[in-house]
Amino acid sequence: MTQKARRSLVPALRFPEFRDAGEWEEGKIYSLFKVDKKPEKASKFDSEKIITVKLHANGVVKNERAGTLTGGANYYKRRANEFIFSKIDLLNGAFGLVPDDLDGFCSSSDVPAFAFKEDSIPLFFLDWLKVNYQNLPIERTGTSSTLKRVAPSKFLELPIQLPSKVEQQKIADCLSSIDDLITLEARKIEALKAHKKGLMQQLFPAEGEKIPKLRFPEFRDAGEWEKKTIGSVCRIFSGGTPVTSRRSFYGGDIPFIRSAEIDKTRTELFLTQEGLDNSAAKLVVKGDLLLALYGANSGDVAMAKVDGAINQAILCLRSECSNAFIYHSLSHMQSEIVFSYVQGGQGNLSGDIVKSIELYFPSQNEQQKIADCLSSIDDLISLQARKLEALNAHKKGLMQQLFPVSNEVRR
């Protein structure tokens, strides 16, 4: 027989000085906030400060889109370090702390904010919520299934487990130090990407030019690059999708690469040989050049990380010369391609469009030199990304140990 799940009030991992401190106390979320403090209502003079914010589990991000005061909604001023969440998406992780640069901005009542009491520790509460938001004992209510909301009053009444203020601060400081490392590693990735982008602008000819600004010494007198269409230098094909209702087509050992997975080392779906044989799916090999034709990532390009099969939303470009050089050329031109074809009225890319795209090519040796240079930066970016992923996984695991978890009692 299973009894109702109970909450253990002692975490699995504790700092040495708190190991004999006993159980955490259970209280209510409202005890951390100045619930009697009413937010300042926005006036017509605050119109320029009405903005749309995106909320996620790591904080608040300002959208570039500004709004105006309307008669159909109430807007309120929000202050730095207040806790803010989305009534609609709280249970999807849409919450955070108002950052300093958004102090005084205005949002609607669908994005409520609460000021912390002076003795509360905001970062501890935020970390607690990151661990627990998916399992909060609360439901969204409303008449529309797509617009149901979490009532702030119900949220404030939820239980929370709290150690002493000293232990709260210790936990918050520990996790904040990891956040600082994560931020640092993320900046290194961005710096490497910016370095690669700047280098590509020098290593490939600018629009209307046939010679790049920067060349390796041995190629400085090698003359102009030659213009060729992708169709003239690559074998090009797309794939297909086996009938999804046929279970025998799926669950095999052939990775099925979809457009959002062109740069991944593992796919979500796998095909059987029967599924491959009875569909338009086509096999690609590691190192083939893959280009997303349509969908949210239309125009994205990557070198295949696995042998597998592709669907109809992916175009494979296979060159006998240098897939890597063509990959870097297309990466350099990606914004231009998306602007010209995807956003410029076509809506999607197609095999014919891609075949007609013109690239400039130097000698085979110079192609290889450029590809090797840029690929070495890609390797550094990948290494840095793995470090960042490991830090995020370490923090997630640590958080699960530092906060009490639900234990189901059976008898």
Side-chain angles (χ1 to χ4, degrees), residues 70 84 90 102 118 133 142 216 318 322 408:
T70 64
I84 186 170
L90 169 68
L102 286 185
E118 282 73 12
Y133 75 89
F216 294 98
R318 188 177 288 167
S322 176
E408 191 171 77

Side-chain angles (χ1 to χ4, degrees), residues 336-363:
E336 179 184 340
I337 292 171
V338 170
F339 179 79
S340 298
Y341 299 107
V342 180
Q343 298 172 351
Q346 294 287 344
N348 294 311
L349 293 172
S350 68
D352 288 339
I353 290 174
V354 175
K355 287 179 183 178
S356 69
I357 293 174
E358 295 177 326
L359 303 177
Y360 281 92
F361 291 85
S363 68

Side-chain angles (χ1 to χ4, degrees), residues 74-343:
N74 291 320
Y75 292 90
Y76 300 90
K77 288 189 177 182
R78 310 306 185 188
R79 294 301 177 186
N81 212 39
E82 288 183 338
F83 173 72
I84 186 170
F85 73 90
S86 165
K87 289 182 181 179
I88 296 174
D89 284 321
L90 169 68
L91 303 183
N92 293 322
F95 57 81
L97 302 181
V98 178
D100 291 340
D101 63 331
L102 286 185
D103 183 53
F105 88 94
C106 304
S107 68
S108 75
S109 55
D110 266 343
V111 187
F114 301 97
F116 286 92
K117 290 180 178 178
E118 282 73 12
D119 63 344
S120 294
I121 301 172
L123 290 179
F124 173 85
F125 172 72
L126 191 64
D127 287 327
W128 174 87
L129 193 56
K130 287 177 183 179
V131 172
N132 290 280
Y133 75 89
Q134 291 178 314
N135 299 310
L136 292 177
I138 192 171
E139 294 183 359
R140 295 186 304 162
T141 59
T143 57
S144 170
S145 60
T146 58
L147 294 177
K148 288 186 177 181
R149 292 163 167 77
V150 168
S153 59
K154 298 292 185 183
F155 173 73
L156 292 172
E157 286 287 342
L158 291 175
I160 183 173
Q161 298 72 43
L162 300 167
S164 68
K165 299 293 184 184
V166 178
E167 189 170 359
Q168 287 183 44
Q169 190 64 62
K170 187 85 171 184
I171 292 171
D173 290 344
C174 171
L175 295 175
S176 293
S177 68
I178 300 176
D179 283 336
D180 291 341
L181 286 174
I182 290 172
T183 299
L184 179 62
E185 297 301 327
R187 286 175 180 168
K188 289 180 182 179
I189 292 176
E190 293 307 311
L192 282 168
K193 289 180 177 179
H195 172 62
K196 181 187 175 185
K197 182 178 180 181
L199 194 56
M200 290 169 73
Q201 291 171 344
Q202 300 290 312
L203 288 173
F204 291 100
E207 186 176 356
E209 302 290 333
K210 296 181 180 179
I211 297 176
K213 293 180 181 179
L214 179 65
R215 285 182 108 162
F216 294 98
E218 61 267 42
F219 304 112
R220 285 175 184 163
D221 299 321
E224 295 181 344
W225 290 21
E226 184 180 358
K227 183 190 292 186
K228 299 178 182 179
T229 63
I230 290 178
S232 69
V233 297
C234 292
R235 178 191 168 203
I236 297 176
F237 59 90
S238 61
T241 299
V243 176
T244 56
S245 60
R246 292 286 297 273
R247 292 186 178 181
S248 61
F249 288 176
Y250 293 87
D253 57 5
I254 302 171
F256 186 42
I257 305 168
R258 293 175 293 177
S259 59
E261 301 170 326
I262 58 174
D263 62 343
K264 306 301 182 185
T265 57
R266 182 171 175 81
T267 60
E268 182 181 357
L269 298 178
F270 291 80
L271 301 182
T272 61
Q273 188 63 46
E274 181 185 0
L276 180 66
D277 293 340
N278 288 276
S279 73
K282 297 290 191 301
L283 290 175
V284 298
V285 297
K286 187 177 180 180
D288 276 343
L289 182 54
L290 306 180
L291 189 147
L293 292 175
Y294 51 87
N297 61 330
S298 179
D300 284 359
V301 60
M303 302 284 286
K305 302 291 195 301
V306 294
D307 296 346
I310 58 174
N311 68 7
Q312 65 276 10
I314 299 173
L315 201 66
C316 176
L317 284 62
R318 188 177 288 167
S319 168
E320 294 182 359
C321 299
S322 176
N323 277 353
F325 177 81
I326 297 172
Y327 159 68
H328 291 299
S329 295
L330 286 174
S331 296
H332 176 57
M333 294 180 60
Q334 183 176 350
S335 296
E336 179 184 340
I337 292 171
V338 170
F339 179 79
S340 298
Y341 299 107
V342 180
Q343 298 172 351

Side-chain angles (χ1 to χ4, degrees), residues 42-80:
S43 70
K44 63 180 180 180
F45 301 106
D46 296 310
S47 292
E48 72 280 1
K49 296 181 180 179
I50 305 294
I51 64 172
T52 300
V53 293
K54 285 186 178 180
L55 301 165
H56 54 83
N58 292 319
V60 182
V61 178
K62 183 173 74 171
N63 197 334
E64 295 299 323
R65 183 164 52 87
T68 58
L69 284 170
T70 64
N74 291 320
Y75 292 90
Y76 300 90
K77 288 189 177 182
R78 310 306 185 188
R79 294 301 177 186

